[in-house]
Each structure stands twice: as structure tokens, then as C-alpha cells.
Amino acid sequence: MAMWVFGYGSLIWKTGFPFDDRLPGFIKNYRRVFHQGSTDHRGTPEFPGRTVTLEPAPGEICWGVAYKITKEEDKKDALLHLEVREKQYDQKEYLDFFIDINDSEPAVSGVMVYIASSDKKSNNNYLGPAPFEDIAKQIVKAEGPSGPNRDYLFNLEEALVQLGFKDKHVTDLATHVRLILSATQDAATKDV
């Protein structure tokens, strides 16, 4: 039996494990939000970055990619990789995955999804909602072992565009981060 994994953040562009098939599509009743703190990839414990998680949102959809893994050895490798990579995500859900907006039946049922919950007892890196401007400034400044937090945001935006998906939250945030970076660059140029 195949194992399916849904990626809605960096798994879209950087898998890190072998897979047999990759299907673009969506899950229902969730939305992608930059509420998860990253102290191990895109930030540090002293200054966490922000990465995406999912929050329940009746009637909404979250676009991403589902990966099919069939070989037993590949399933083990994928789970080992994901348990380390997604260690700050404290929940796994098994959801229906759709590939066409008009479909009433899922293309795949039981797709595994890693979610960082808002429960501070089980997820001490949950940052939660914040004013849009504050989230953008945090993403501009944060940097961790995997690089600047803004690269994560820009890579996510580009990956979604390449798949033909629109996510207003991601696009608006990326646009605002670019404005902050441009203003910072302009101010630095004037000082020279």
C-alpha cells in the first residue's frame, strides 16, 4: 500500500526523500499561516523565524503537493527524514487530497500532513498570529542554519506560482517583505 505525504511549505520545492509520484492539489478546510516558529532551520532560539503551519478554516483550501511513496525502504527513509525535519510540528493528520476544484470525491484519502498545533504545551515553538507588519519584519530579520527566513517565504511563493496556485497570504507577505527590504536598501544607500 502506498504512503502519501502532503507538502504545503518547503516540502513543495525541497523534498529530501525518494518518491514515486508528485501530484499538485489541495486539502479542504485548512489555510496556510506563518504562525510556527523555526528555531532550527530559518531562525534561532534567540530569534525564531516564521514558517507555515495549517489552521482549521471551514470552506477554505490549501494548495500544495502530495507525494506517493510505494517501496517499503523508501517509506522508512521518508518517515525517518520527515520525523527529523518536521520535529517541531507536533501533530500528524490524515486528510483527503483533491486535484480538481470541481471534484467532490478526493483523489487520495489518508494523505499524511504534518501540522504545528497552537497548543503551547506540546508545541513550544508556536508563535501564533501577529500583526501583518510584525510578521513581515520578523521574516526580514530572522536567519538560521538553513538560511534567511525571507528565502523560505520567497521560495514558497515561487513554488506556488510555478504550480499555478494562488495564496493571497503568501503573496501579500512576500510583497511586503520586499518593500521592507527595498526601503532598508534605499536608506543604506542614502547613508553612503
Side-chain angles (χ1 to χ4, degrees):
M1 190 167 139
M3 178 176 89
W4 288 85
V5 178
F6 180 68
Y8 57 92
S10 61
L11 281 179
I12 296 174
W13 75 88
K14 185 179 178 185
T15 331
F17 55 84
F19 57 90
D20 300 295
D21 200 5
R22 177 182 192 263
L23 290 179
F26 62 92
I27 56 173
K28 292 182 177 181
N29 299 315
Y30 284 91
R31 79 171 141 238
R32 181 183 1 249
V33 290
F34 279 83
H35 293 180
Q36 178 65 7
S38 175
T39 59
D40 60 344
H41 289 291
R42 297 296 179 164
T44 63
E46 298 76 32
F47 197 89
R50 280 188 175 262
T51 56
V52 291
T53 187
L54 297 174
E55 68 178 11
E60 292 193 36
I61 61 174
C62 177
W63 293 97
V65 176
Y67 296 95
K68 179 182 182 182
I69 307 158
T70 56
K71 297 178 192 128
E72 288 305 314
E73 190 63 30
D74 290 347
K75 289 181 198 178
K76 288 178 191 171
D77 290 346
L79 284 172
L80 282 171
H81 175 78
L82 289 166
E83 290 300 318
V84 171
R85 177 178 176 162
E86 307 297 331
K87 67 180 177 268
Q88 293 185 346
Y89 289 67
D90 60 319
Q91 291 181 349
K92 269 191 262 185
E93 298 288 337
Y94 295 87
L95 304 173
D96 288 338
F97 175 78
F98 299 82
I99 54 175
D100 188 295
I101 202 77
N102 298 312
D103 289 346
S104 58
E105 295 296 316
V108 182
S109 290
V111 174
M112 183 171 58
V113 183
Y114 285 83
I115 299 174
S117 77
S118 60
D119 182 353
K120 293 292 264 174
K121 289 180 183 163
S122 61
N123 179 10
N124 61 359
N125 286 308
Y126 182 75
L127 298 175
F132 187 75
E133 179 76 15
D134 293 350
I135 292 174
K137 286 178 180 175
Q138 187 171 1
I139 289 172
V140 166
K141 292 178 184 174
E143 188 166 343
S146 295
N149 197 180
R150 62 182 167 261
D151 289 353
Y152 173 92
L153 170 62
F154 297 151
N155 286 337
L156 178 56
E157 177 191 39
E158 178 62 25
L160 291 169
V161 166
Q162 286 180 1
L163 291 168
F165 302 150
K166 292 183 179 166
D167 185 312
K168 184 173 173 13
H169 179 63
V170 172
T171 303
D172 289 352
L173 196 52
T175 299
H176 199 70
V177 165
R178 284 188 188 93
L179 287 172
I180 293 170
L181 290 168
S182 177
T184 304
Q185 218 171 25
D186 288 348
T189 305
K190 288 178 184 174
D191 289 342
V192 175

